[in-house]
Amino acid sequence: MTDRPSEILAELREVSVEHRAPGRSLLNRDRVHALTGADATVAAGETVGVVGESGCGKSTLVKVLVGLQRPTSGTVLVGGRDIWQLSTAQRRRHIGRTVGMVFQDPSTSLNRRLPVERIIADPLDVHHWRGPRDRMRRVTELLHLVGLPASARDALPAHLSGGQRQRVAIARALALEPALLVADEPTSALDVSVRAQILNLLMDLRERLGLAMVFVSHDLQTVRRVSDRIVTMYLGRVVEELPVARIEHGRHPYTQALFSATPGLLRPMRPIPLSGPVPSAVHPPSGCPFRTRCWRSTDTCATAMPPYTDDAVGPAHRYRCFHPVTDPSDLHRAVIAAPGADRSVEEPA
Ligand SMILES: Nc1ncnc2c1ncn2[C@@H]1O[C@H](COP(=O)(O)OP(=O)(O)OP(=O)(O)O)[C@@H](O)[C@H]1O
């Protein structure tokens, strides 16, 4: 198990985010529960992978973490300070110096009208980074850091490839030497051929600069490879947090189902099929949100959201489930119990 470093760079405490449901009239009080009661921490030097199905709240969680989304309730601490107790100017300054953010699609996250130099220098200007000569030197340094030639400084984003644009976005995110880099699907909008290059660049920068990272991705193989800890989300809830070395011992049925769907990641022989659709984020089920698709659910699961329970290794591995998976043969039963499942699957030893 990875030792958990102690300095907490960012923390969510009981954070919820609600949006007005789209397409509804102003009189309609329906709300999308994008995030509900989420707790999460990121410590210096660690990489936290955030996983879960589309729409489960991963992007909302990271937007809250970097101050781009104000929570409806709960507390967001960045560098130990409650960011929503700060003035707008103080918040921007404080977050900018602690956290850098790389978005999914550099074609939309970069200003198309500005040359690369101005894009990268923007955080330096906003934060009054020393004098003009230092600013120029820093831009050159950043271009070099992300593997772009100095000549790229005059190019417009349209003149660059997708991979080069994402390098510019990474340079901008690192301009103020943050301790934490948050990357929301940083390679998924890129050509398959350059995804590995950008991922390798991020991993290289992480090592060289000693960065902590939050890494959101649908690519579970990659998340497993790059993360120290994994946060599993389902329908706006964080349902499990665990060290990557314990992924085979995921206690929440959803963690097991999610990772079983990627060949070779977990011991179950076949993907655990989940019945039924993901429930609506406007009207989530009572109690545990996963209960409507869970093969282990009982009436108890409808009564309340299960509290956090520490696994045997302590709070580094905790989950929210009344009926945690503790026996591998249960996973086998989940596979063969599904309608249409291949019942010839071997019972695990
Ligand atoms: N501005 C908004 N207004 C209304 N609903 C929103 C808004 N932003 C997000 N949502 C909803 O909140 C929920 C969580 O969205 P979010 O983008 O955080 O999920 P996600 O896990 O990042 O999804 P994906 O993997 O597809 O990017 C979804 O139901 C989404 O439709």
Side-chain angles (χ1 to χ4, degrees), residues 35-337:
L35 200 61
T36 306
D39 292 316
T41 58
V42 189
E46 73 168 346
T47 297
V48 180
V50 182
V51 297
E53 277 161 304
S54 196
C56 70
K58 303 181 296 297
S59 294
T60 304
L61 183 133
V62 295
K63 278 189 204 152
V64 167
L65 207 60
V66 301
L68 289 176
Q69 171 72 58
R70 186 175 193 145
T72 313
S73 62
T75 306
V76 186
L77 300 168
V78 174
R81 298 177 78 180
D82 181 340
I83 59 171
W84 293 101
Q85 295 298 322
L86 302 175
S87 69
T88 306
Q90 286 173 326
R91 184 169 53 254
R92 286 205 185 124
R93 202 161 45 238
H94 178 64
I95 294 173
R97 291 193 175 279
T98 316
V99 190
M101 172 104 193
V102 179
F103 297 89
Q104 180 174 349
D105 188 354
S107 353
T108 52
S109 68
L110 304 181
N111 187 331
R112 284 178 300 156
R113 285 188 289 272
L114 295 183
V116 164
E117 177 185 335
R118 288 206 35 214
I119 293 172
I120 296 179
D122 182 58
L124 304 175
D125 297 339
V126 170
H127 291 266
H128 308 296
W129 177 275
R130 301 176 202 154
R133 202 179 299 156
D134 281 331
R135 176 186 180 277
M136 288 293 278
R137 198 177 300 137
R138 180 71 181 142
V139 171
T140 308
E141 205 172 80
L142 286 160
L143 286 170
H144 183 67
L145 195 65
V146 299
L148 287 172
S151 57
R153 65 193 317 138
D154 298 322
L156 290 171
H159 300 143
L160 303 175
S161 69
Q164 289 172 325
R165 283 199 283 263
Q166 197 59 312
R167 286 174 194 267
V168 172
I170 294 168
R172 179 181 60 180
L174 294 176
L176 294 166
E177 302 178 323
L180 169 62
L181 188 66
V182 175
D184 188 357
E185 302 257 14
T187 61
S188 61
L190 306 177
D191 280 354
V192 176
S193 57
V194 295
R195 285 182 187 176
Q197 290 170 20
I198 297 299
L199 187 66
N200 289 341
L201 172 66
L202 286 171
M203 294 307 113
D204 180 47
L205 291 169
R206 177 180 70 168
E207 296 310 314
R208 283 160 65 191
L209 306 176
L211 293 169
M213 275 185 75
V214 174
F215 187 80
V216 176
S217 180
H218 286 272
D219 177 353
L220 301 182
Q221 300 265 20
T222 300
V223 172
R224 188 176 186 185
R225 188 153 55 85
V226 306
S227 306
D228 298 305
R229 284 195 300 127
I230 291 183
V231 167
T232 311
M233 297 187 66
Y234 186 83
L235 205 63
R237 295 275 194 173
V238 173
V239 295
E240 185 156 17
E241 272 187 81
L242 73 175
V244 76
R246 287 191 59 77
I247 196 67
E248 292 205 6
H249 303 283
R251 300 302 186 205
H252 200 285
Y254 179 62
T255 304
Q256 286 286 351
L258 190 65
F259 279 88
S260 77
T262 302
L265 269 193
L266 282 192
R267 106 187 79 54
M269 28 312 142
R270 304 284 160 89
I272 297 170
L274 297 178
S275 55
V278 181
S280 150
V282 177
H283 302 291
S286 63
C288 172
F290 186 55
R291 70 179 170 81
T292 57
R293 302 170 77 202
C294 181
W295 69 97
R296 294 177 67 78
S297 77
T298 62
D299 291 349
T300 312
C301 304
T303 56
M305 181 65 193
Y308 276 114
T309 305
D310 290 350
D311 198 51
V313 296
H317 182 178
R318 57 184 195 159
Y319 53 84
R320 303 187 77 162
C321 180
F322 289 123
H323 307 296
V325 176
T326 51
D327 175 1
S329 64
D330 174 71
L331 300 173
H332 170 75
R333 280 194 288 276
V335 172
I336 61 170

